[in-house]
Amino acid sequence: MDKVRGLKQLFIYCLFGVSMSSTLPVCAQQVRLDNLKEQFSKKNLFRINGGLAANGVFYTGDNSSRQPFMWVISGNVNISIYDQVNLPFSCNFNNLGNGYNYPTLPNRLSIHPSYKWVTAHIGDVSMSFSPYTLSGHQFTGAGLELKPENFPLKAQFMFGRLLKKTEYDSLNFGGIVAYKRMGYGVKLNYEKEKYLLGISVLHAHDDPESLKWKPDSLQIYPQSNLALSGEVTLKLLDNLTVNVEYGFSSLTRDIRLPSVKIDLGIWLLTRNTSTVQYHALKAGVNYLLKKNSIGLGYERIDPDYRTLGGYYFTNDFENFTFNYARPFWKDKINFSMNVGMQHDNLNRNKTEQTNRWVIAANLNIVPTDKLNCSVSYSSFQSYTNIRSQFDYINATNKYENQDTLDFTQLSQNVNVNIGYNWAVEEVRSHNLNFNLSFQEAADKRGGIIAPGSASRFYNLAASYALLFVPSAIQLTASGNLTYNKMAGMEMITWGPNLGASSKFLKNKMTVGVSSSYNVSSNSGIRTGSVFNARGNVVMRFFKHHTANISVVYQNRDVPVKPVASDFTTTLNYAYSF
């Protein structure tokens, strides 16, 4: 009795207690300053919502590791104050243990007040200017966005701490060590009907005195960075658009190192000996000729390109892309295609170089409102050339050993889908669907497909659904066949599925049953079969209450093992408010 009373007290404490610690990772609120009266009216002072759920699972079968009975009771309550502050409470109990959560002081807090076209970001926030300058890096400080309507100039500003200092801890091997890093940046866009001009700037700087112990042995040094990005978009014609973006990053790896003077004739510059500069370029052309849409794209990013305004940068690659799209037959047929080529090792100083080709095409056909068809194809090819260092050491001329080891990965996919829908007035509705998919992959070495590396996968599925509209009775039938060939093995799995469902009591009760059977074989030898039967009843009553009961029976027949059966019954009740 005391134990039950203790559980009740703990449940109430979980739902309505106001204890504080630090488990919530993020808390962000947005306040519109031009609508304060409505936001902070008395009707929005408190809002409470939540729910309570109870589950019971009964199991009988041949799986001795499962418990014959398991129960779970869970509850949650959220208290909202002026729709700006949320206090969530939750708890759960079961025969394996219990737990609870309550609102805590967040370790990251942000607020985003806005007034008409002005929005501020205060606290622990993130902003993005360009993929080559500030790209989603979180900072603690303030940001400002100015986006006036019917005015061509848009502006964004930020200032704050990008990284907090983290001292070296010998007891935490592999832990993060960082100097305190501050940064500020600005992005300006000037957009007219025929053109757009944009520029973004980011400057970040580490404080070399912020750490007591210098982590030089870990190759962590105080850095500084100046990153710039310029963007131009031109609408040369009504159907021709050109856009170019250029990125530049000057990164000083160790600001403590001495500087050298660089004489440029007119100017005398000083530069840190550890400063490196990176460049990035992205360009695209889109042309609309009648109904033909044609696009060309190019992107190049220097090896090791990075800025202190992002966490991760993909660099050392050159991309070429082409895309084409056109509708046919009074827009009932749509065709699109994309082709791309990428390669790395731009400086030709790596022992390995990878070239990638990607091709994708889609064809959609909708001849009538009842029939729709789609066909898609994609192909991926990755070629890697590895050069041994000994080839360079032992070569007598630069033309020797050009292709010491080449490795190619090939992959292609085809998907065909056909759907047909028809109805007999408002009495019956029919749906027929057919799907075929094919996947192939292989590894090629020295121009020859490696033995055992090729694999092919086929999947064929067909389904039919019949809905009797007045009585809300639905019948479904489907079949599935998969064929997989790899490493000299041929695996086949096939089987039918049947199902039926209906609604009663003015759609408040839903009853459904289904069954499935599938058989598997490997190289003509049967490997097993599985039979499933399911039934469930869902009842909704008194607006906020839901009850559900489901029964599942499964029979597994594997040749080398005895036949196994499982019978699982699940009861569920849920209340929400």
Side-chain angles (χ1 to χ4, degrees):
M1 193 68 181
D2 292 337
K3 184 177 181 180
V4 174
R5 186 182 297 109
L7 290 176
K8 291 182 178 179
Q9 292 176 351
L10 181 59
F11 179 75
I12 296 173
Y13 170 76
C14 294
L15 294 181
F16 304 103
V18 201
S19 302
M20 298 293 180
S21 62
S22 57
T23 59
L24 287 181
V26 178
C27 181
Q29 303 297 336
Q30 184 169 356
V31 181
R32 290 204 58 85
L33 300 180
D34 54 348
N35 194 21
L36 291 177
K37 183 177 180 180
E38 178 66 23
Q39 292 184 78
F40 295 98
S41 63
K42 291 183 179 180
K43 67 177 182 179
N44 295 331
L45 178 58
F46 286 105
R47 294 181 187 271
I48 301 177
N49 58 72
L52 178 68
N55 296 271
V57 180
F58 301 86
Y59 172 80
T60 58
D62 298 319
N63 189 350
S64 59
S65 62
R66 289 193 59 175
Q67 292 192 0
F69 175 68
M70 185 180 73
W71 59 269
V72 178
I73 299 176
S74 60
N76 68 88
V77 168
N78 183 75
I79 301 176
S80 175
I81 303 176
Y82 286 124
D83 289 337
Q84 301 299 323
V85 179
N86 293 292
L87 303 175
F89 304 82
S90 66
C91 69
N92 67 81
F93 303 98
N94 56 63
N95 54 336
L96 302 178
N98 55 72
Y100 57 90
N101 290 305
Y102 43 82
T104 60
L105 290 176
N107 55 19
R108 294 199 297 270
L109 178 66
S110 63
I111 185 172
H112 307 269
S114 60
Y115 180 78
K116 294 185 178 180
W117 45 266
V118 180
T119 302
H121 309 284
I122 303 171
D124 300 295
V125 296
S126 64
M127 299 178 68
S128 292
F129 291 171
S130 164
Y132 308 129
T133 56
L134 179 64
S135 180
H137 198 294
Q138 181 178 289
F139 61 93
T140 302
L144 186 65
E145 295 185 29
L146 307 177
K147 298 181 179 180
E149 297 180 0
N150 302 321
F151 191 75
L153 184 62
K154 308 292 190 294
Q156 293 178 266
F157 306 91
M158 64 79 60
F159 174 80
R161 185 189 68 198
L162 294 170
L163 289 178
K164 67 177 181 179
K165 69 172 185 177
T166 306
E167 294 282 358
Y168 172 74
D169 185 357
S170 60
L171 300 178
N172 184 19
F173 181 75
I176 298 176
V177 181
Y179 287 90
K180 178 183 178 181
R181 178 174 299 165
M182 301 296 294
Y184 59 87
V186 59
K187 178 181 180 180
L188 301 174
N189 272 4
Y190 188 84
E191 184 175 6
K192 299 289 285 186
E193 182 181 356
K194 296 293 184 180
Y195 64 89
L196 179 146
L197 302 176
I199 184 173
S200 64
V201 181
L202 172 72
H203 182 266
H205 185 84
D206 289 346
D207 181 2
E209 304 300 326
S210 58
L211 294 182
K212 181 179 180 181
W213 305 103
K214 309 303 180 186
D216 291 10
S217 60
L218 301 177
Q219 297 184 352
I220 297 176
Y221 312 107
Q223 305 177 83
S224 68
N225 176 227
L226 175 64
L228 306 172
S229 173
E231 179 183 6
V232 177
T233 299
L234 301 175
K235 296 182 180 179
L236 302 180
L237 301 171
D238 291 339
N239 52 0
L240 178 62
T241 303
V242 178
N243 63 283
V244 179
E245 183 174 5
Y246 169 75
F248 170 79
S249 177
S250 178
L251 180 67
T252 301
R253 302 181 184 274
D254 190 347
I255 60 178
R256 301 168 302 180
L257 296 180
S259 300
V260 296
K261 294 183 179 181
I262 302 176
D263 190 358
L264 299 179
I266 302 177
W267 296 284
L268 184 63
L269 303 178
T270 60
R271 178 179 174 181
N272 187 290
T273 55
S274 67
T275 299
V276 290
Q277 296 177 345
Y278 306 109
H279 304 268
L281 177 64
K282 184 176 183 180
V285 178
N286 290 282
Y287 183 59
L288 183 62
L289 178 61
K290 294 184 177 179
K291 291 187 176 183
N292 298 275
S293 176
I294 304 172
L296 296 173
Y298 173 78
E299 185 175 14
R300 186 188 191 280
I301 300 182
D302 280 353
D304 300 323
Y305 184 101
R306 70 185 186 95
T307 78
L308 300 184
Y311 295 104
Y312 176 78
F313 291 90
T314 303
N315 52 52
D316 190 18
F317 71 85
E318 191 173 34
N319 271 345
F320 299 89
T321 59
F322 168 78
N323 61 77
Y324 173 80
R326 176 186 168 85
F328 299 90
W329 194 24
K330 297 180 180 180
D331 297 342
K332 293 182 179 181
I333 299 178
N334 288 276
F335 173 76
S336 63
M337 179 180 65
N338 296 274
V339 180
M341 192 278 285
Q342 181 187 98
H343 74 90
D344 61 358
N345 193 22
L346 300 183
N347 291 340
R348 306 296 179 185
N349 56 4
K350 292 182 179 180
T351 60
E352 177 180 319
Q353 178 174 321
T354 301
N355 299 324
R356 299 181 180 91
W357 279 92
V358 177
I359 301 174
N362 293 276
L363 179 65
N364 294 310
I365 305 173
V366 187
T368 67
D369 294 337
K370 298 179 180 180
L371 178 64
N372 65 85
C373 308
S374 66
V375 181
S376 63
Y377 171 80
S378 63
S379 175
F380 174 83
Q381 177 175 319
S382 175
Y383 172 79
T384 302
N385 177 245
I386 303 175
R387 302 180 178 89
S388 170
Q389 291 294 330
F390 290 104
D391 295 330
Y392 293 98
I393 296 173
N394 300 326
T396 58
N397 62 73
K398 64 179 181 179
Y399 301 105
E400 288 189 54
N401 303 313
Q402 290 296 303
D403 297 312
T404 303
L405 176 62
D406 60 83
F407 176 78
T408 303
Q409 289 181 305
L410 305 172
S411 175
Q412 58 181 347
N413 302 269
V414 179
N415 187 274
V416 180
N417 189 81
I418 300 174
Y420 185 64
N421 302 273
W422 73 99
V424 180
E425 296 180 349
E426 296 183 357
V427 179
R428 293 186 301 273
S429 175
H430 305 263
N431 178 274
L432 182 63
N433 187 265
F434 172 84
N435 180 266
L436 172 65
S437 61
F438 166 73
Q439 297 178 8
E440 183 181 38
D443 297 337
K444 184 184 292 186
R445 296 182 178 89
I448 301 174
I449 294 180
S453 68
S455 66
R456 292 180 176 88
F457 176 82
Y458 300 84
N459 184 80
L460 175 64
S463 64
Y464 170 74
L466 172 61
L467 174 63
F468 296 92
V469 179
S471 56
I473 298 176
Q474 183 172 9
L475 305 176
T476 60
S478 63
N480 195 82
L481 170 66
T482 63
Y483 171 78
N484 189 11
K485 182 178 180 180
M486 63 178 300
M489 298 185 298
E490 296 184 5
M491 293 165 282
I492 299 177
T493 302
W494 65 274
N497 301 273
L498 298 173
S501 65
S502 182
K503 295 183 178 181
F504 303 94
L505 302 178
K506 297 181 179 180
N507 295 331
K508 292 182 178 180
M509 175 185 288
T510 303
V511 179
V513 293
S514 65
S515 65
S516 64
Y517 178 75
N518 59 78
V519 181
S520 301
S521 63
N522 187 352
S523 302
I525 302 175
R526 181 176 175 275
T527 57
S529 63
V530 179
F531 172 76
N532 294 281
R534 297 178 174 85
N536 72 291
V537 179
V538 179
M539 181 69 182
R540 298 175 179 85
F541 53 98
F542 297 139
K543 190 177 181 178
H544 299 288
H545 301 261
T546 303
N548 176 38
I549 178 173
S550 64
V551 179
V552 178
Y553 170 77
Q554 184 180 88
N555 180 276
R556 301 179 299 277
D557 184 7
V558 180
V560 296
K561 297 180 180 180
V563 177
S565 299
D566 295 331
F567 192 84
T568 305
T569 302
T570 304
L571 302 176
N572 172 267
Y573 165 79
Y575 168 71
S576 61
F577 60 91

